[in-house]
Amino acid sequence: MYRSFETEQEHARAAQLLAAVDRGERWIFDGAPGSSEFGGSLIKQYFTRGDTWGVFHACLFRGRLRLQIGFSPDLPVEEEVGLIGLIRQARRQAPGPASLWYPPENARLDRLILHGLPWLVHGHKTRELAFDTRPAFPPVLPPDLAFVPYDRAWLEAVCRLLDQALAHTFADPGDAVFSRDKEKYDAEWLGLARTNACRLLLENRVLAGFIARKDAEIDLMAVAPERQGRGLGRILLQQARADILEEQAGEPHLYCLDSNNGALRFYLREGMRVTGHSGYAWLDALPGT
């Protein structure tokens, strides 16, 4: 049965379960302290039946409905209808597009979300990886390489680089995701560049790589396709790591699609460790909205 949380221990158990998804989900479950992007909880329920317990949390985050769902050990048999009812209730309160985050180790829950919901679902799975906080030095650059802050003059070139280098991660590889929304990204990157959190890697004054981070999170990192395989990705990653640790911003971390095996192997070789594994689903807006 679903009910309100009754004890601090129940809340702590639920928060710990969502922390295994990734650190961002626990932070949001706790109300995203320090952020103005949290719009409040709509439904916050604890589930218990026999030895199984779980959490259902619907909230507004960045102006959209966000659903956080998880069970230990898994969604019980014959509880699918009740869960869909809670999702439907949350969507009536916020009928636009919704994101849904859950532990993919919940196999029955995973099947329900990806194949059993009465709405169009787009899904993937993501790994959270992190470095520890031991001091790290920035890479030594050869004379033909240089880091410079992002500048608007590079907008078109950066968007082309990202659209080409990250195409394999798009739902439609032919979709120019960054070029299509370039004005939005330009404003974001200019803001980050003021604190040295958005940089270009130039090789003989030609754009070779791009990196953007938000506090301790490495948000975007890419090397121009024609320059891949030469160690430039390692330079970008280690520079970001050193910058984060120098600023004492926290544990350097990033998110990588579970299906992006090459990138996962690269991050593990560079000394990162897997600290979370999340299932993600995107639900389109309800009809009539």
Side-chain angles (χ1 to χ4, degrees):
M1 60 173 287
Y2 294 93
R3 58 168 172 77
S4 299
F5 283 82
E6 295 178 353
T7 67
E8 291 184 6
Q9 181 184 20
E10 289 177 352
H11 194 280
R13 291 177 81 189
Q16 187 174 7
L17 177 63
L18 292 175
V21 172
D22 65 53
R23 68 194 68 205
E25 296 314 302
R26 177 170 188 162
W27 174 68
I28 293 169
F29 179 72
D30 288 335
S35 172
S36 61
E37 297 179 311
F38 187 74
S41 294
L42 303 177
I43 304 171
K44 200 168 191 176
Q45 297 270 287
Y46 187 76
F47 176 88
T48 178
R49 194 185 93 180
D51 294 331
T52 299
W53 59 272
V55 57
F56 179 92
H57 182 218
C59 66
L60 296 176
F61 186 70
R62 295 177 179 168
R64 287 180 170 162
L65 177 63
R66 191 181 193 97
L67 304 172
Q68 299 174 305
I69 306 171
F71 296 88
S72 177
D74 200 351
L75 173 68
V77 176
E78 300 180 354
E79 289 292 343
E80 294 87 353
V81 173
L83 179 56
I84 291 174
L86 278 176
I87 298 174
R88 197 183 300 276
Q89 179 183 340
R91 301 204 73 195
R92 282 198 296 265
Q93 296 182 61
S99 62
L100 195 160
W101 298 82
Y102 64 98
E105 294 83 2
N106 285 181
R108 282 194 296 273
L109 176 61
D110 182 62
R111 285 195 298 273
L112 175 68
I113 288 171
L114 296 182
H115 306 292
L117 295 183
W119 306 288
L120 185 61
V121 174
H122 315 275
H124 63 247
K125 297 178 177 66
T126 304
R127 299 274 180 174
E128 178 188 79
L129 298 104
F131 285 112
D132 59 35
T133 54
R134 288 178 294 180
F137 297 102
V140 177
L141 299 182
D144 58 341
L145 292 179
F147 275 106
V148 299
Y150 171 77
D151 181 87
R152 181 167 289 156
W154 291 94
L155 175 61
E156 299 284 349
V158 168
C159 288
R160 281 196 303 272
L161 183 152
L162 293 174
D163 284 334
Q164 294 169 5
L166 301 180
H168 63 291
T169 68
F170 301 161
D172 175 4
D175 190 6
V177 171
F178 291 92
S179 296
R180 185 184 62 231
D181 294 326
K182 62 184 178 182
E183 297 303 327
K184 179 190 79 171
Y185 287 111
D186 180 51
E188 180 180 315
W189 296 336
L190 284 173
L192 293 173
R194 296 189 190 102
T195 58
N196 213 28
C198 185
R199 295 201 202 191
L200 313 178
L201 179 63
L202 305 184
E203 184 175 27
N204 295 319
R205 291 183 283 186
V206 176
L207 182 64
F210 174 84
I211 194 156
R213 56 187 177 82
K214 297 175 181 177
D215 298 320
E217 179 186 347
I218 302 168
D219 185 46
L220 273 175
M221 188 179 80
V223 174
E226 68 275 11
R227 288 178 164 81
Q228 292 176 4
R230 295 168 43 202
L232 300 185
R234 183 179 190 277
I235 288 173
L236 288 169
L237 181 64
Q238 296 299 336
Q239 182 67 57
R241 176 191 186 187
D243 289 343
I244 291 167
L245 294 175
E246 182 181 6
E247 295 170 9
Q248 298 182 333
E251 192 176 54
H253 65 280
L254 54 79
Y255 300 95
C256 178
L257 289 178
D258 208 20
S259 58
N260 196 353
N261 293 319
L264 280 171
R265 289 195 297 270
F266 165 70
Y267 295 133
L268 293 171
R269 283 199 307 270
E270 289 301 311
M272 303 192 82
R273 66 193 190 284
V274 175
T275 53
H277 186 198
S278 61
Y280 169 83
W282 178 258
L283 311 181
D284 288 345
L286 292 179
T289 63

